[in-house]
């Protein structure tokens, strides 16, 4: 069984993330979408809220599992029996950082490969931080966030901005 991991902070999950998940789920027997703890980020949603959002938008994908981890990705992948990390690339600037991370992960876990999926053209500019910024200006999020999450994400952005 080929198991892949799609790691990220997903704060919040975007249509771009969902596109990568849907495409990767067709390639692998099992895809683990893992909410990773990033010490450099101060998330708007809790880890469990992000896990729940991902579960809701991937419910139609039978081979997708949602998890969370604060351990090193290479070690997490080994523990889960995964041989592949899936990363979405939007631009050349993403590649440099992700390539470096792929090399580091492979040096820690030599059985681990990284597969890069390029973003669909309509999501090339999209990130969670863009969603949070647009939402703070009361821009409709329907083109950026899965429909079932729009109200929840909008309310959280508004609450954060009212502080």
């Amino acid at each position: 069984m080929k198991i892949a991991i799609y790691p990220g902070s997903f704060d919040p999950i975007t249509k771009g993330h969902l596109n990568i998940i849907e495409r990767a789920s067709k390639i692998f027997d099992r895809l683990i979408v893992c909410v990773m703890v990033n010490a450099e980020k101060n998330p708007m949603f809790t880890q469990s809220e992000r896990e729940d959002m991902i579960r809701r938008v991937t419910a139609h994908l039978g081979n997708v599992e949602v998890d969370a981890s604060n351990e090193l990705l290479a070690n997490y992948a080994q523990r889960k029996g995964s041989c592949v990390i899936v990363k979405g690339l939007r631009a050349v600037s993403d590649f440099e950082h992700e390539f470096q991370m792929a090399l580091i992960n492979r040096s820690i876990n030599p059985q681990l490969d990284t597969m890069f999926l390029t973003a669909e053209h309509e999501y090339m500019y999209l990130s969670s931080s863009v969603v949070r910024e647009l939402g703070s200006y009361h821009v409709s999020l329907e083109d950026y966030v899965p429909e079932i999450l729009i109200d929840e994400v909008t309310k959280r952005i508004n609450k954060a901005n009212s502080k």
Side-chain angles (χ1 to χ4, degrees), residues 11-162:
D11 188 43
I13 188 167
T14 69
K15 285 186 174 183
H17 292 131
L18 186 56
N19 176 261
I20 297 293
I21 292 167
E22 288 172 340
R23 291 165 52 207
S25 74
K26 293 175 186 172
I27 298 169
F28 298 98
D29 299 314
R30 188 166 136 222
L31 177 67
I32 302 170
V33 181
C34 187
V35 177
M36 301 297 290
V37 174
N38 185 336
E40 296 175 7
K41 294 185 177 182
N42 185 19
M44 182 179 308
F45 291 93
T46 67
Q47 181 177 310
S48 61
E49 287 172 328
R50 289 178 278 158
E51 288 177 77
D52 178 64
M53 287 190 288
I54 297 166
R55 280 189 187 95
R56 285 187 278 149
V57 301
T58 61
H60 65 288
L61 302 169
N63 65 333
V64 172
E65 171 187 328
V66 180
D67 197 11
S69 178
N70 62 356
E71 66 188 294
L72 218 63
L73 181 56
N75 295 340
Y76 175 82
Q78 187 170 29
R79 183 169 60 81
K80 288 295 195 172
S82 174
C83 59
V84 177
I85 300 299
V86 173
K87 296 300 287 191
L89 295 179
R90 295 169 295 190
V92 173
S93 57
D94 284 348
F95 179 76
E96 185 175 350
H97 173 74
E98 296 300 348
F99 184 70
Q100 179 182 24
M101 300 296 2
L103 293 174
I104 291 168
N105 285 329
R106 191 158 172 86
S107 74
I108 296 167
N109 179 350
Q111 283 71 49
L112 189 60
D113 280 312
T114 300
M115 183 177 96
F116 298 110
L117 289 177
T118 56
E120 296 287 350
H121 71 280
E122 63 264 39
Y123 306 122
M124 299 278 307
Y125 61 90
L126 187 56
S127 67
S128 296
S129 56
V130 166
V131 166
R132 291 190 306 269
E133 183 169 355
L134 291 172
S136 73
Y137 288 101
H138 308 289
V139 172
S140 170
L141 299 180
E142 70 181 39
D143 290 337
Y144 314 111
V145 175
E147 185 177 349
I148 64 172
L149 302 178
I150 292 173
D151 288 342
E152 182 178 353
V153 170
T154 301
K155 285 176 185 170
R156 183 62 58 90
I157 291 169
N158 290 338
K159 182 179 177 183
N161 289 334
S162 66

